[in-house]
Amino acid sequence: MTSIRDLTGLEAGMARLSTPMRVYVASGRFTEPDPDLPELATRIRALLAEVAGDEAWQRFLTGYTPPPVPQICASLEPVETHEAAAFLARLAGVDLVWPSHQHLPAETAERAAEQVVALLGPEAVWWTNHDTECGAVNGLTPLFDSLLAGTDGECFALALQIADD
């Protein structure tokens, strides 16, 4: 499980992966006993609400309400832990719509992503809104979005990239 010192490192690593108006992050410790996917989806829903409340996205998300927790749970696909760091670095570093545009230098994104994944540990479970089998995305917003969420059962880390075309 994640210690208080590790939680500080987790929050710092996630903050390094954040990019204003593009990559939103959240991390912390669950307050519920025995948290599982619905509690993680509740945190995802809160992050989606944060994006919807961001002045930069309000005109694109007029009338948008984040999906209910069961719908968020249904949109998630598992990601193997050994793939999580690379996925997180790509999500934070490379633009969804314009892959030639980088939000962060590759080295910065890779280092921070590796730190986050290491702090949650090898037993962490990771989820995305991507269907990795066919490449489809189960969008959580009416825009282009990409999510990676991980938890060790005590703490969580969320990264959401959002883009318009």
Side-chain angles (χ1 to χ4, degrees):
M1 294 298 170
T2 309
S3 71
I4 295 296
R5 187 174 65 88
D6 291 344
L7 179 58
T8 302
L10 180 68
E11 291 169 341
M14 291 304 293
R16 283 194 299 281
L17 293 169
S18 176
T19 305
M21 299 180 345
R22 290 292 182 201
V23 180
Y24 294 80
V25 300
S27 57
R29 187 179 307 279
F30 289 108
T31 56
E32 304 87 354
D34 300 319
D36 204 357
L37 188 56
E39 289 78 18
L40 185 62
T42 298
R43 297 314 190 284
I44 294 168
R45 190 170 197 277
L47 185 60
L48 292 167
E50 179 185 327
V51 172
D54 187 329
E55 191 176 311
W57 292 105
Q58 286 177 348
R59 67 186 172 125
F60 299 106
L61 296 171
T62 302
Y64 169 76
T65 301
V69 167
Q71 187 177 337
I72 293 172
C73 289
S75 73
L76 299 177
E77 301 283 337
V79 173
E80 296 292 329
T81 301
H82 68 274
E83 297 171 352
F87 193 110
L88 183 56
R90 201 170 43 254
L91 185 150
V94 180
D95 190 86
L96 288 173
V97 178
W98 306 104
S100 61
H101 176 75
Q102 289 194 325
H103 295 296
L104 294 173
E107 259 185 43
T108 301
E110 289 166 5
R111 263 196 317 272
E114 287 170 4
Q115 175 192 6
V116 165
V117 171
L119 287 170
L120 282 182
E123 301 303 315
V125 291
W126 293 89
W127 300 90
T128 184
N129 62 331
H130 291 253
D131 183 330
T132 54
E133 299 276 323
C134 70
V137 176
N138 303 316
L140 297 168
T141 70
L143 302 170
F144 294 106
D145 60 68
S146 182
L147 169 82
L148 184 66
T151 180
D152 65 359
E154 183 179 337
C155 293
F156 63 90
L158 311 174
L160 173 74
Q161 185 184 139
I162 190 159
D164 62 344
D165 56 5

